[in-house]
Amino acid sequence: MHITEEKTQRHTLAVMVDNEPGILARIAGLFTARGYNIESLTVSDVTADQAVSRITIVTSASPHVMEQIMAQLDRLVPVHSVTDLTALGPHVERELALLKVAGLGEHRIEALRLADVFRARVVDTTINSFVFELTGGREKIDGFIALMRQVGLCEVARTGIVAIARGDKAI
């Protein structure tokens, strides 16, 4: 018997759901029960009456597993639609990060210089620390974090990926 291993690819899913208690737990439970990993998860209301929410999920899977995930999500009753933005084509992904960096003297100056290069905003400051806000793609934020580790990174908080398809059509 010959077993072939399918290549996994990172996928960004947009799931439109009724905004009701327990739906996020049901979706997360679906992933957990089948051993699928969620790399990023964000949720927000998307209608004026707050009746519908958009859940953005980033996961890695082979094409076969991705089909299963989408089919299983689509079967949940409060789910309106499931869209694989990765398969759909060009889309925009962003993430927000807050970083607390402590340091004095040269480390403080270097932190401010790096923040300027990455277009990070200072949102809080004390004599000994800064809190920077940075928005961008995953690679940009990962790069900024790596550099800040060298000058006194204390703490990181990240929102997770939000994504939307390019073009004039809504999903």
Side-chain angles (χ1 to χ4, degrees):
M1 182 162 103
H2 181 66
I3 299 174
T4 59
E5 215 175 283
E6 290 186 89
K7 280 191 170 185
T8 63
Q9 181 183 2
R10 184 175 166 272
H11 291 265
T12 303
L13 305 177
V15 185
M16 304 300 281
V17 300
D18 286 337
N19 189 5
E20 61 182 42
I23 184 58
L24 184 57
R26 288 178 62 195
I27 288 175
L30 183 146
F31 277 78
T32 302
R34 288 155 183 83
Y36 307 145
N37 188 39
I38 295 175
E39 295 174 24
S40 174
L41 179 95
T42 57
V43 183
S44 65
D45 294 328
V46 292
T47 56
D49 62 359
Q50 298 180 340
V52 177
S53 288
R54 178 186 181 119
I55 300 174
T56 305
I57 301 169
V58 178
T59 189
S60 291
S62 66
H64 175 70
V65 170
M66 196 73 249
E67 286 178 30
Q68 288 179 336
I69 289 171
M70 291 187 61
Q72 290 164 357
L73 284 171
D74 214 16
R75 270 183 271 193
L76 292 176
V77 171
V79 172
H80 294 263
S81 66
V82 180
T83 305
D84 183 352
L85 294 172
T86 305
L88 192 62
H91 62 281
V92 178
E93 291 186 4
R94 290 293 180 266
E95 184 175 4
L96 170 83
L98 296 174
L99 290 84
K100 187 184 297 181
V101 179
L104 299 170
E106 288 299 315
H107 287 290
R108 190 170 174 84
I109 293 166
E110 184 64 10
L112 284 171
R113 188 187 69 75
L114 290 168
D116 188 47
V117 169
F118 278 82
R119 295 189 194 124
R121 289 184 342 134
V122 175
V123 293
D124 185 56
T125 186
T126 68
I127 297 297
N128 300 319
S129 68
F130 293 106
V131 174
F132 295 107
E133 173 187 80
L134 180 64
T135 305
R138 178 175 284 195
E139 296 80 21
K140 176 182 178 180
I141 291 174
D142 288 344
F144 187 62
I145 290 170
L147 290 171
M148 286 297 156
R149 279 196 172 97
Q150 299 173 30
V151 294
L153 181 67
C154 297
E155 189 176 352
V156 177
R158 295 174 82 158
T159 60
I161 300 292
V162 292
I164 197 163
R166 295 189 67 183
D168 60 355
K169 293 187 178 142
I171 58 167

